[in-house]
Amino acid sequence: MSKETLIKSIREIPDFPIPGILFYDVTTLFKDPWCLQELSNIMFDMYKDKGITKVVGIESRGFIMGPILATRLNAGFVPIRKPGKLPAETLEESYDKEYGKDTIQIHKDAIDENDIILLHDDLLATGGTMKAACALVKNLKPKKVYVNFIVELKDLNGISMFGDDVEVESVLSL
């Protein structure tokens, strides 16, 4: 299966969640077993030699490929969630996104200085969510942070939100 086949499998939904936004629905990739396996294989190959100790997934679509990848990399999985969803002591970060404001949290004890982190989410648009997630993770002082997306929307230039200290890669570009 090719990356072009994966791209063709993504559903486009106009005016969601608000008018003027073209939403790229990657759940169509998850429901197809061949697409899901191909994504898993591609992402595993991207990170298998990086020494990843924990995969951090961002609510909610980061909770799908994140644990799959963590299992394949023999790493732990850490969720980043919306406020009020994590039961222990948390750190939080607020940020602007393309159609509003939001806040995310991580458990304070989720990561330590010996960890090599792979931060994963489904889509890079303007980069606000992942920039906030990077800030949360970096506050916990891991050895290294990698960032991964299934899809990058190139025209929105979200990759410019990240410094040289973070390696950012996407499986697909639109």
Side-chain angles (χ1 to χ4, degrees), residues 47 55-59 62 80 93-98 102 104 117-138 145-151 158-159 161-163 166-170:
Y47 297 100
V55 176
V56 177
I58 300 172
E59 186 170 351
I80 287 183
E93 189 80 22
S94 294
Y95 61 97
D96 293 321
K97 53 187 185 177
E98 56 270 30
D102 217 337
I104 53 175
I117 302 300
L118 174 58
L119 256 167
H120 170 73
D121 204 4
D122 65 327
L123 189 128
L124 172 58
T126 59
T129 304
M130 187 58 81
K131 183 178 179 186
C134 276
L136 281 176
V137 167
K138 286 180 179 180
V145 177
Y146 296 92
V147 171
N148 171 267
F149 299 93
I150 296 171
V151 176
I159 200 163
M161 298 286 277
F162 305 96
V166 176
E167 183 180 311
V168 180
E169 290 189 90
S170 298

Side-chain angles (χ1 to χ4, degrees), residues 60-75:
S60 66
R61 288 175 301 277
F63 291 180
I64 298 166
M65 291 308 298
I68 291 170
L69 192 52
T71 299
R72 293 202 59 195
L73 293 170
N74 197 31

